[in-house]
Amino acid sequence: MPSEHAEIQVRPGGEGDLTALTALYNHYVRETAITFDTSPFTPEERRPWLLSHPVDGPYRLMVATDTGTGRILGYATSSPFRPKPAYATSVETTVYVAPDAGRRGIGTLLYKSLFEALAGEGLHRAYAGIARPNDASARLHERFGFRHVGTYREVGRKFGRWWDVAWYEKEL
């Protein structure tokens, strides 16, 4: 019996993914409050972000692709939680899935691959901020052992309204 996910490959992201990753992210910038960026990016503007996620170390970029078409279906990252040195063993994680990718478990595959890649990196905690409401993201994070640790009320303003951000924490 073929695997439900046989047509999806998860791999580290690279330079050749920059344009597609930027387009995917820009959808969320333009259409949702999932990110608090308010202006779309060009691929060149996103290049420093891409380069800050090498194929090894604590700051990773995992990309899910359709093996038939090569199309990027989503990505997950781990990034510095805060810039001060004492935070070095903590990361902030995030997942973005193409809005037309369907319910194929892409977020689950991405997080599974990301956390496997982070094993042995000497990390202590992962954090995720989820703009509310976003029940699907909260469920995904809870499935991976994240627990809600607090909410910043009306911390962001986008599309003419205030948004809360719920913070989640996971032991690594």
Side-chain angles (χ1 to χ4, degrees):
M1 170 180 242
S3 167
E4 171 187 346
H5 303 295
E7 72 281 357
I8 300 170
Q9 175 192 28
V10 178
R11 59 169 175 75
E15 184 74 24
D17 302 319
L18 182 58
T19 299
L21 291 170
T22 301
L24 173 56
Y25 186 70
N26 282 341
H27 162 78
Y28 287 97
V29 171
R30 286 188 309 272
E31 306 294 330
T32 77
I34 288 173
T35 176
F36 286 175
D37 280 316
T38 58
S39 298
F41 291 87
T42 66
E44 278 308 308
E45 290 169 328
R46 285 290 277 179
R47 186 174 308 288
W49 165 84
L50 179 86
L51 296 176
S52 72
H53 294 92
V55 296
D56 59 4
Y59 310 131
R60 302 287 184 104
L61 166 63
M62 304 304 291
V63 175
T65 61
D66 181 300
T67 56
T69 65
R71 178 175 169 255
I72 290 181
L73 303 172
Y75 68 90
T77 62
S78 58
S79 301
F81 177 64
R82 295 285 183 265
K84 296 181 180 175
Y87 290 115
T89 59
S90 297
V91 292
E92 185 172 347
T93 63
T94 191
V95 174
Y96 288 92
V97 175
D100 60 349
R103 301 181 73 113
R104 298 162 60 181
I106 295 165
T108 298
L109 289 172
L110 284 163
Y111 254 2
K112 181 178 183 293
S113 294
L114 178 65
F115 291 121
E116 286 173 0
L118 294 178
E121 290 295 339
L123 297 171
H124 185 62
R125 292 277 192 272
Y127 294 91
I130 302 172
R132 286 194 168 166
N134 190 338
D135 293 339
S137 185
R139 283 191 305 271
L140 173 67
H141 285 84
E142 289 166 359
R143 252 193 328 274
F144 278 88
F146 282 84
R147 65 180 183 83
H148 180 251
V149 293
T151 299
Y152 294 163
R153 303 279 178 207
E154 297 183 351
V155 69
R157 187 156 176 83
K158 188 172 179 180
F159 303 134
R161 68 168 274 202
W162 294 102
W163 299 92
D164 295 347
V165 174
W167 282 95
Y168 288 74
E169 173 186 71
K170 171 186 173 60
E171 185 175 337
L172 296 175

